[in-house]
Amino acid sequence: KLKDSLKVSTIQSNSGIDDIIHTMPLIYSRAIDHTRSMLDRNNGIRVSNLMKRAQVIVLYGDGSIFEIARNICYKLDEIGISANAYNSIQWNHCKRLQQDKIPSFSILLSHTGKIRVWLNAANRLKQYNIPSLSITGNVDKRLLNLTDYNFQIMITRKLTL
């Protein structure tokens, strides 16, 4: 059923506004259904518990994903959770968290899961014993193999259905 619901139907350059208005909700619905199917409940519980225990949550992303990381931080701040977003790894910050034994949790956001800076960051976070979650599309498995947890989401480069 999921496979059928994820069949791709592209919005063309000659698509009318009615086609786009009809198609947009379906795109979001299918992305949510796909992402839900990829989530592991037990990993979700473990990640949730780590986030609850963390005094600091650090999110990493670059480009447009950095803006998503910042928005997540705003939402976490609204509920009283200290969170920071960075578009590059902050080694001194990681080192201080480890030295001061500050409970922390890191989230690396990546469309592809193969950007070298985030692969290096995941390795370094592991060296500092900072638990990490990668949130990636299922394009490449390298980043998810380096982080403690991974949530795969549906991504697309084109506006497709």
Side-chain angles (χ1 to χ4, degrees):
K1 181 179 176 182
L2 179 62
K3 199 172 205 172
D4 289 338
S5 73
L6 294 174
K7 286 184 180 170
V8 176
S9 171
T10 306
I11 295 175
Q12 304 295 326
S13 60
N14 62 351
S15 296
I17 190 68
D18 291 333
D19 296 328
I20 294 169
I21 289 171
H22 172 74
T23 304
M24 288 304 293
L26 298 173
I27 292 171
Y28 288 109
S29 176
R30 290 187 179 163
I32 290 167
D33 288 345
H34 175 76
T35 299
R36 186 180 298 127
S37 76
M38 299 298 290
L39 292 175
D40 177 89
R41 184 179 188 283
N42 291 330
N43 277 345
I45 291 168
R46 286 190 279 276
V47 166
S48 174
N49 288 335
L50 286 166
M51 290 178 73
K52 287 176 187 175
R53 286 194 299 266
Q55 289 180 16
V56 176
I57 296 175
V58 183
L59 290 96
Y60 298 99
D62 62 353
S64 62
I65 294 178
F66 175 67
E67 294 304 318
I68 294 169
R70 285 181 36 185
N71 285 329
I72 293 170
C73 288
Y74 296 144
K75 294 296 182 186
L76 291 171
D77 284 339
E78 286 176 5
I79 61 172
I81 297 172
S82 177
N84 301 307
Y86 297 107
N87 59 4
S88 64
I89 194 73
Q90 304 294 313
W91 302 126
N92 289 333
H93 184 250
C94 293
K95 187 174 183 179
R96 186 183 63 77
L97 291 172
Q98 181 199 35
Q99 287 176 341
D100 294 348
K101 296 182 177 23
I102 297 171
S104 56
F105 187 72
S106 290
I107 302 172
L108 293 99
L109 306 170
S110 174
H111 278 125
T112 64
K114 62 182 179 182
I115 296 174
R116 184 177 310 279
V117 69
W118 301 133
L119 297 173
N120 292 338
N123 276 319
R124 185 69 69 100
L125 290 167
K126 196 171 285 297
Q127 290 172 2
Y128 284 128
N129 295 315
I130 297 174
S132 61
L133 164 70
S134 57
I135 301 177
T136 62
N138 59 358
V139 175
D140 190 289
K141 306 281 189 232
R142 285 180 275 185
L143 184 59
L144 73 92
N145 288 328
L146 295 173
T147 56
D148 299 301
Y149 303 96
N150 174 264
F151 293 160
Q152 289 186 352
I153 59 172
M154 182 178 170
I155 60 166
T156 182
R157 296 253 183 249
K158 298 180 196 174
L159 189 57
T160 58
L161 174 65

